Amino acid sequence: MTDLFLLIFVLFISSGTGQMIVGADMTTEFCNGSIKLYSAFGEVAVFTEVQSKMMIKAHTALVEGCGCYRLYERKNYRGRSYHANRREEHHIGLRRVKSLALVPCFWWI
């Protein structure tokens, strides 16, 4: 009986369309956002996609539009990281940013 319930549950979960509602009128399927990284000297770098190798000494980040980002201190998504998951200014606390990834948004974090 438990196996039958588990099978029905898995079939029910997998029959969805794969979209997740993240706001009043936004879904993750049509996400057009960016992240701006600001240095201590006022320099700005804008990114809209993943970067595996870069070098920016940023102290704040601003997420615009939809999308969530994870900033890493080392290249190829390694080292200490910061998760920017809200549309606001973030004080990231990393010495430098050498890679960034576009990650799924979990609004309860």
Side-chain angles (χ1 to χ4, degrees), residues 37-43 56-61 89-97:
L37 301 179
Y38 294 90
S39 73
F41 305 108
E43 298 170 341
I56 297 177
K57 290 186 178 181
H59 69 92
T60 57
E89 186 174 307
H90 299 267
H91 297 282
I92 57 178
L94 302 175
R95 288 178 285 170
R96 62 194 169 269
V97 178

Side-chain angles (χ1 to χ4, degrees), residues 46-94:
V46 180
F47 299 95
T48 57
E49 55 189 40
V50 298
Q51 301 287 320
S52 63
K53 294 179 182 177
M54 57 192 268
M55 174 55 180
I56 297 177
K57 290 186 178 181
H59 69 92
T60 57
L62 177 66
V63 176
E64 296 181 330
C66 66
C68 295
Y69 298 86
R70 183 161 292 275
L71 311 170
Y72 294 89
E73 265 194 343
R74 298 179 67 194
K75 63 183 181 180
N76 295 319
Y77 319 108
R78 297 181 300 134
R80 289 183 39 209
S81 66
Y82 181 85
H83 188 206
N85 63 341
R86 299 195 195 307
R87 286 182 274 179
E88 59 187 26
E89 186 174 307
H90 299 267
H91 297 282
I92 57 178
L94 302 175

Side-chain angles (χ1 to χ4, degrees), residues 5-55:
F5 176 73
L6 183 61
L7 178 64
I8 292 171
F9 180 73
V10 169
L11 290 175
F12 178 74
I13 295 291
S14 65
S15 67
T17 62
Q19 293 183 357
M20 178 177 70
I21 298 175
V22 294
D25 59 350
M26 295 183 303
T27 62
T28 56
E29 187 174 297
F30 302 104
C31 181
N32 293 319
S34 65
I35 187 166
K36 292 183 178 180
L37 301 179
Y38 294 90
S39 73
F41 305 108
E43 298 170 341
V44 180
V46 180
F47 299 95
T48 57
E49 55 189 40
V50 298
Q51 301 287 320
S52 63
K53 294 179 182 177
M54 57 192 268
M55 174 55 180

